[in-house]
Amino acid sequence: MSGDSGAPTNFIRQIIDDDLASGKHARIHTRFPPEPNGYLHIGHAKSIVLNFGIAQDYPGSCNLRFDDTNPAKEEEEFVEAIKDDVRWLGYDWDALRFASDYFEQLYEYALELIRSGKAFVCDLDAEQVREYRGTLTEPGRPSPYRDRSIEENLDLFQRMRAGDFPDGSRTLRAKIDMASPNINMRDPALYRIRHGLIHHQTGAEWCIYPMYDYTHPISDALEGITHSLCTLEFEDHRPLYDWVLDNITIACHPRQIEFSRLNLEYTVMSKRRLTQLVQEKHVSGWNDPRMPTIAGLRRRGYTPEAIRSFCEAVGVTKSEGTVEMGVLENSIRGHLDAVAPRRMVVLDPLKVTISNYPDDTSEALPAGNHPKDESMGTREVVFTREVYIDRADFREEANKKYKRLVLGGEVRLRNAYVVRCDEAIKDADGEIVELRCTYDPDTLGHNPEGRKVRGVIHWVSATHGQRAEVRLYDRLFSTANPGRGGQDFLDDINADSLRVLSECVVEPALTSATAGERFQFEREGYFVVDAVDSRAGAPVFNRIVSLRDSWGKIAED
RNA sequence: UGGGGCGUAGCUCAAUUGGCAGAGCGACGGACUCUGACUCCGUAGGUUGUAGGUUCGAUCCCUACCGCCCCAGCCA
């Protein structure tokens, strides 16, 4: 049942299997319930893949529901961005809902709670409530307003809605148990008063807003959710979730199941911190390619497929851990290796003159777009007397392990000829400014006989290539767990997380690349045409991820 | 300190519910290669947090410890 997509099973899917087998449910209904107070991040993707993935694999459905009970923090911009991100990830909701759709029903249920003596209007202010609540080790004391008559509570609550009382002056509270060892059960607030806010869905219609703990179970039940999946910090809230549904007249009682949230090395995931990065302009916005947001990963060049397979790879459990960044990187490498056309780009150009190649000639050489997939076809690269190679691909001398160009040595120019380096020309400071090489005309398409070249390097024609900007992104933070030990996480920002290279040379086939197109720059990594800053005929490239590099780990000789 | 959770390989997860502790990723080594990529082959890596107990037999059941996370918003 759960294996249809090849998605690995987990304890939640096992519970669902059991519920289907026992006949408790014939159909599964999940929901993804974001609060529109920020952009979605990779941690939300885990929840999205879980919830929508279950709906896909079982006979089931999944709603997108905005948990919009706190208009002070929520905005329409965020609801639109979230819808975009969910769709981009490849999912479509069965129903689009807002918790605010249920405000009227929520209000009616609150009246029911009051009528049955399960809720009361409390006149304590926030500080007094805190004093009465007790501590982790001491029980709380009942509010002096706890035993008001039902009639008075009804009247007061109706007047709360009518706007008769100022912010913070009163709350509606559940009447549960002030001595409960679970603080969430110590007569939690159900409604608070908030004047003067324009809610993005309901406008100025309400001046009282329901709390999450009250809204969520009822919203779930109203939608016929069977399994309400949330993160571990809500485990303590489950008794309250159940209490609400057990004490009102409602037919459905979803099962809340908690799983551990995603933690990723070298980044931060809390909305508070992401918001701070954006507001204080440590990044260019929610979609900065270094951000772990879906919008950031999208602009960075990640694919929905890669993010989905990443989410499946990390699994779903109740134990907390931190996933290595390499797992995310491998997910995109794996996908793009299969589908990204290959191109040649020189990031740090060093001019090479092929002395024995005629000045007035050029050759259009066919180059495969993919080494293992001929269906991806070929394009032409232009070979000329002057080409660029990368500075890192030449050394005056090196040991045998160095598989690139050395003085007096031979190397193949990818898709073209074998060349030998005869001379390195230096400027007054001793810096190499040009290489003089000779090429072997008999090495096109086959290797020379009787001798072995050191390796293969990429190149671009100096006369046919085009300058382009390439942005090299690295992890946003320099430590695996930013801000650990209580210090400011901003101190851990990686100062080199973005390097802009403006003098790169790209092969002709790349000048017409359009926004969002992804390529492998051979021997370098995977790159995407930036959707924001590229211009027609002048693409800007973002590095998505470098190629795996076993050479970089070997100590320099 | 009260309550709620979680501890299995470097990381993420399995282990048919008491029957020889495995996989993927990573690391390391090799093969292949016109990408130091991809692919393929192989190796290492464990006192299952600790100490007891029950049992022929414990990752699994019991007891006690230890460590880590969450909870004292009129946030979600």
Side-chain angles (χ1 to χ4, degrees):
Chain A
M1 280 185 182
S2 64
D4 296 0
S5 72
T9 189
N10 55 55
F11 79 101
I12 293 175
R13 283 174 179 253
Q14 282 167 14
I15 289 170
I16 291 174
D17 287 339
D18 291 345
D19 289 347
L20 252 15
S22 72
K24 180 179 179 183
H25 299 295
R27 210 184 140 71
I28 302 304
H29 208 324
T30 57
R31 105 268 90 118
F32 173 62
E35 183 190 14
N37 66 344
Y39 278 58
L40 262 23
H41 54 65
I42 183 76
H44 292 110
K46 173 176 175 175
S47 178
I48 291 169
V49 170
L50 210 215
N51 281 292
F52 283 94
I54 284 170
Q56 273 177 358
D57 297 343
Y58 290 88
S61 29
C62 181
N63 293 354
L64 173 60
R65 182 174 72 235
F66 289 95
D67 231 320
D68 58 347
T69 55
N70 185 4
K73 292 185 175 175
E74 296 151 9
E75 295 172 27
E76 180 67 21
E77 176 200 348
F78 296 134
V79 345
E80 290 310 316
I82 288 168
K83 282 155 68 179
D84 268 0
D85 286 343
V86 171
R87 274 188 294 244
W88 178 78
L89 276 172
Y91 298 104
D92 196 12
W93 43 86
D94 290 274
L96 175 64
R97 293 286 143 76
F98 293 82
S100 54
D101 294 343
Y102 311 127
F103 278 177
E104 195 61 48
Q105 289 164 90
L106 258 0
Y107 179 79
E108 291 299 324
Y109 280 121
L111 293 177
E112 180 183 353
L113 247 17
I114 292 170
R115 286 193 197 98
S116 61
K118 301 280 178 47
F120 67 101
V121 172
C122 180
D123 298 2
L124 260 23
D125 65 28
E127 190 174 336
Q128 292 169 318
V129 166
R130 196 180 321 127
E131 286 163 8
Y132 274 86
R133 184 156 36 224
T135 68
L136 294 177
T137 51
E138 305 157 25
R141 296 136 50 211
S143 162
Y145 305 97
R146 198 175 201 260
D147 294 317
R148 281 217 252 239
S149 71
I150 287 172
E151 293 65 34
E152 187 180 8
N153 279 321
L154 246 20
D155 174 62
L156 254 14
F157 185 54
Q158 282 157 354
R159 289 170 60 197
M160 275 171 65
R161 178 179 183 174
D164 289 359
F165 311 117
D167 284 8
S169 61
R170 286 184 164 86
T171 53
L172 182 72
R173 293 225 260 162
K175 201 184 287 185
I176 308 180
D177 177 11
M178 288 307 291
S180 173
N182 181 346
I183 293 181
N184 295 301
M185 299 299 268
R186 318 238 263 230
D187 292 3
L190 267 23
Y191 271 88
R192 75 283 214 182
I193 301 171
R194 287 288 177 275
H195 287 281
L197 292 173
I198 302 300
H199 187 286
H200 51 97
Q201 301 302 314
T202 60
E205 186 183 350
W206 294 84
C207 65
I208 56 172
Y209 289 95
M211 303 289 292
Y212 166 86
D213 282 317
Y214 175 68
T215 308
H216 207 84
I218 297 177
S219 303
D220 281 344
L222 255 18
E223 292 174 23
I225 301 302
T226 55
H227 302 266
S228 181
L229 314 180
C230 63
T231 43
L232 250 29
E233 67 270 26
F234 293 103
E235 210 150 13
D236 289 349
H237 296 240
R238 187 170 2 113
L240 181 50
Y241 183 102
D242 290 329
W243 183 92
V244 169
L245 296 178
D246 285 341
N247 286 281
I248 60 175
T249 307
I250 199 160
C252 176
H253 192 136
R255 196 224 286 209
Q256 174 177 305
I257 305 171
E258 310 85 12
F259 62 94
S260 65
R261 60 166 67 240
L262 172 71
N263 297 301
L264 235 201
E265 287 185 346
Y266 296 99
T267 191
V268 294
M269 213 70 93
S270 86
K271 248 184 222 179
R272 198 207 102 231
R273 286 171 163 185
L274 294 175
T275 302
Q276 191 179 349
L277 288 171
V278 172
Q279 287 180 347
E280 296 178 4
K281 304 211 185 300
H282 297 104
V283 295
S284 66
W286 286 99
N287 68 341
D288 186 296
R290 293 164 296 182
M291 289 281 274
T293 50
I294 304 301
L297 291 165
R298 186 202 310 208
R299 184 171 169 196
R300 176 73 168 265
Y302 271 78
T303 59
E305 291 90 335
I307 291 174
R308 279 189 250 122
S309 77
F310 168 75
C311 291
E312 280 162 12
V314 300
V316 178
T317 64
K318 294 188 70 141
S319 60
E320 297 173 272
T322 305
V323 177
E324 294 170 336
M325 188 59 97
V327 179
L328 213 213
E329 293 174 341
N330 278 335
S331 71
I332 188 63
R333 287 192 184 108
H335 182 215
L336 259 24
D337 175 58
V339 302
R342 312 285 121 130
R343 292 292 184 266
M344 293 197 290
V345 171
V346 175
L347 299 179
D348 185 10
L350 172 61
K351 189 167 144 186
V352 174
T353 301
I354 318 284
S355 330
N356 60 339
Y357 195 85
D359 201 5
D360 55 354
T361 324
S362 69
E363 285 174 274
L365 304 172
N369 287 329
H370 194 286
K372 290 188 174 171
D373 186 353
E374 283 189 18
S375 74
M376 290 179 69
T378 61
R379 86 284 185 187
E380 289 182 339
V381 293
V382 185
F383 192 74
T384 51
R385 177 180 164 90
E386 290 186 348
V387 302
Y388 289 113
I389 66 168
D390 199 285
R391 241 166 225 292
D393 286 337
F394 174 77
R395 287 186 189 179
E396 290 188 79
E397 48 187 287
N399 66 26
K400 273 281 185 274
K401 286 196 292 188
Y402 185 78
K403 292 166 68 175
R404 313 181 196 180
L405 188 59
V406 297
L407 202 52
E410 277 188 311
V411 78
R412 172 173 296 279
L413 296 181
R414 174 89 165 139
N415 299 308
Y417 301 96
V418 169
V419 297
R420 172 187 309 279
C421 182
D422 305 313
E423 184 186 3
I425 299 172
K426 301 178 182 176
D427 64 13
D429 300 326
E431 193 183 343
I432 298 168
V433 294
E434 183 184 342
L435 261 25
R436 313 284 295 192
C437 295
T438 49
Y439 87 113
D440 181 344
D442 193 34
T443 53
L444 197 57
H446 58 88
N447 284 327
E449 299 196 7
R451 61 192 210 276
K452 223 180 158 203
V453 299
R454 272 182 177 257
V456 181
I457 64 174
H458 59 281
W459 58 277
V460 173
S461 163
T463 45
H464 292 254
Q466 179 178 319
R467 298 274 163 176
E469 179 174 313
V470 175
R471 296 165 181 175
L472 302 184
Y473 293 101
D474 198 356
R475 41 192 61 155
L476 227 200
F477 293 90
S478 51
T479 59
N481 185 5
R484 91 275 77 151
Q487 65 187 58
D488 190 350
F489 78 104
L490 294 173
D491 293 341
D492 292 323
I493 285 185
N494 173 13
D496 292 320
S497 61
L498 169 60
R499 277 172 57 209
V500 178
L501 307 179
S502 51
E503 297 297 304
C504 306
V505 186
V506 306
E507 64 170 90
L510 238 20
T511 59
S512 58
T514 57
E517 266 196 282
R518 299 178 184 86
F519 302 94
Q520 184 197 98
F521 292 176
E522 292 199 87
R523 304 206 314 130
E524 294 289 356
Y526 297 97
F527 293 75
V528 66
V529 179
D530 187 79
V532 175
D533 295 320
S534 297
R535 298 289 171 266
V540 169
F541 296 95
N542 298 332
R543 183 171 69 190
I544 306 167
V545 67
S546 66
L547 252 31
R548 260 180 84 229
D549 181 15
S550 54
W551 169 251
K553 294 167 193 159
I554 299 170
E556 293 284 310
D557 41 64

